Amino acid sequence: MAPIPKRGTVAVTGAAGFLGGWTVRLLLDRGYRVRACVRDVDDPSRTAFLKAMPGYASGRLTLHAADLDRDGCYDEIFRGCHGVAHIAHVSTYEDQAYVARVCDHIIRSVEASGSVTRVVLTSSIAAVISEADIYEVARRPVFYEDRYPDESNPKRTPDRGQGYSMGKLHAERAFADAAESSGRWDAITCCPGDNVGPILSAHQKDMGPWQHNIETMLLGKYLQNGAYRPWMTVDVRDDALAHIGLLESTEVANGERFIAWSTDMRRVEDI
Ligand SMILES: NC(=O)c1ccc[n+]([C@@H]2O[C@H](COP(=O)([O-])OP(=O)(O)OC[C@H]3O[C@@H](n4cnc5c(N)ncnc54)[C@H](OP(=O)(O)O)[C@@H]3O)[C@@H](O)[C@H]2O)c1
């Protein structure tokens, strides 16, 4: 399927977030027209940094209100777009039926657009390794794109903290399957490691988990989330560029996934 044309139009979901914000910024730097999707356009604490970006005044960057939980809310926004960077989190990863429903919402809006030829979906390194069973990582310590968590592990349930990893994998497959049956667009997955780097807006320090963990460290505390493991860092700007590269690439194929990770492993104590 066709990559997005240079300086084409790209919708970014989760645009007020850490990775979404950087993706908007770097798309603008490259001359694209960007439709930034946020839940509340009128919340200055979350959107003032977007409205201050170059491109907003001229209309090359526009802001759009959309909540994944409402079917059809991206229909108007995606119409006329060449690409979608679907970066947003969902409201919860605990309920897998809900995760499946919101994937369908986005997919239906992509189909309805008639113009989108490529979706880059943000998954996670958690869909490559999972942390359900640390011994499983010890047995298979090499991380590569075709590696998947052991999905037969009985510990792999949302109530044991695996909803995120399960939900991301569901999304990867749902988008690739839908794109294949459509034949009009393709879905490429990006699996980032732990994003670190500058925040663009003060509210992003509360989000994360990684940017929030930096904040708590600066305050002299650290609350480990999930399994104890080193940080597998990627600069958030490199991650955003990876998303843009996947939108532009003429070499990727539907269903392919790419790990965005510097291969640096940093012990929590060292950070
Ligand atoms: N940060 C990391 O280290 C990391 C690592 C691996 C993968 N990822 C993935 O990268 C993506 C972005 O992560 P991030 O750290 O940049 O997250 P973030 O800063 O928390 O931003 C996530 C954004 O998702 C939006 N969102 C949440 N629920 C939504 C809903 N129901 N409808 C529409 N938008 C919704 C929020 O929008 P509003 O602000 O408009 O409410 C928020 O700005 C996520 O998919 C995450 O799983 C992140």
Side-chain angles (χ1 to χ4, degrees):
M1 225 55 55
I4 56 166
K6 287 270 184 277
R7 305 171 99 78
T9 303
V10 180
V12 178
T13 71
F18 187 36
L19 176 57
W22 272 111
T23 305
V24 170
R25 177 62 206 265
L26 295 174
L27 279 165
L28 290 171
D29 286 356
R30 276 157 187 69
Y32 288 101
R33 303 185 72 81
V34 182
R35 299 184 186 170
C37 309
V38 299
R39 277 183 291 189
D40 183 358
V41 174
D42 298 319
D43 177 353
S45 71
R46 300 173 90 83
T47 58
F49 82 102
L50 290 167
K51 292 177 180 172
M53 282 186 186
Y56 183 70
S58 68
R60 199 153 61 80
L61 167 64
T62 49
L63 265 59
H64 306 264
D67 190 321
L68 268 171
D69 299 355
R70 280 202 308 108
D71 195 11
C73 73
Y74 290 94
D75 283 1
E76 281 301 311
I77 305 169
F78 290 176
R79 193 163 297 139
C81 284
H82 302 100
V84 173
H86 178 32
I87 295 175
H89 270 301
V90 297
S91 301
T92 175
Y93 292 98
E94 298 314 302
D95 176 352
Q96 293 294 299
Y98 159 82
V99 173
R101 259 194 325 276
V102 295
C103 286
D104 292 345
H105 292 173
I106 290 273
I107 287 166
R108 274 200 284 272
S109 293
V110 170
E111 294 277 357
S113 75
S115 59
V116 173
T117 58
R118 179 158 301 163
V119 176
V120 173
L121 169 74
T122 313
S123 181
S124 171
I125 199 81
V128 176
I129 61 166
S130 173
E131 294 147 346
D133 181 350
I134 204 71
Y135 296 107
E136 203 276 322
V137 175
R139 278 195 302 277
R140 295 194 297 144
V142 183
F143 305 158
Y144 56 100
E145 271 80 0
D146 293 336
R147 187 192 194 285
Y148 292 88
D150 176 5
E151 294 181 76
S152 65
N153 190 325
K155 292 184 193 164
R156 192 170 165 77
T157 58
D159 59 330
R160 298 183 88 140
Q162 291 305 298
Y164 180 65
S165 169
M166 294 167 72
K168 288 295 191 186
L169 263 183
H170 173 84
E172 291 185 18
R173 290 169 177 150
F175 276 78
D177 289 351
E180 183 165 332
S181 25
S182 150
R184 292 198 307 268
W185 54 284
D186 52 28
I188 316 295
T189 292
C190 186
C191 296
D194 303 320
N195 284 280
V196 294
I199 55 173
L200 288 169
S201 170
H203 78 281
Q204 292 169 347
K205 74 178 171 49
D206 302 325
M207 296 152 83
W210 310 103
Q211 57 269 37
H212 179 62
N213 285 342
I214 296 273
E215 183 201 12
T216 57
M217 283 178 180
L218 290 169
L219 295 169
K221 296 179 278 195
Y222 180 69
L223 303 173
Q224 178 69 40
N225 64 302
Y228 183 78
R229 66 158 172 83
W231 286 22
M232 298 162 60
T233 55
V234 58
D235 188 306
V236 65
R237 293 160 291 190
D238 292 334
D239 191 3
L241 286 176
H243 280 69
I244 297 170
L246 293 174
L247 285 166
E248 292 173 336
S249 175
T250 54
E251 287 163 26
V252 295
N254 181 50
E256 285 187 327
R257 62 199 314 236
F258 295 85
I259 295 175
W261 167 34
S262 71
T263 72
D264 244 11
M265 300 262 246
R266 303 258 171 167
R267 295 191 319 145
V268 169
E269 292 80 357
D270 294 338
I271 297 167

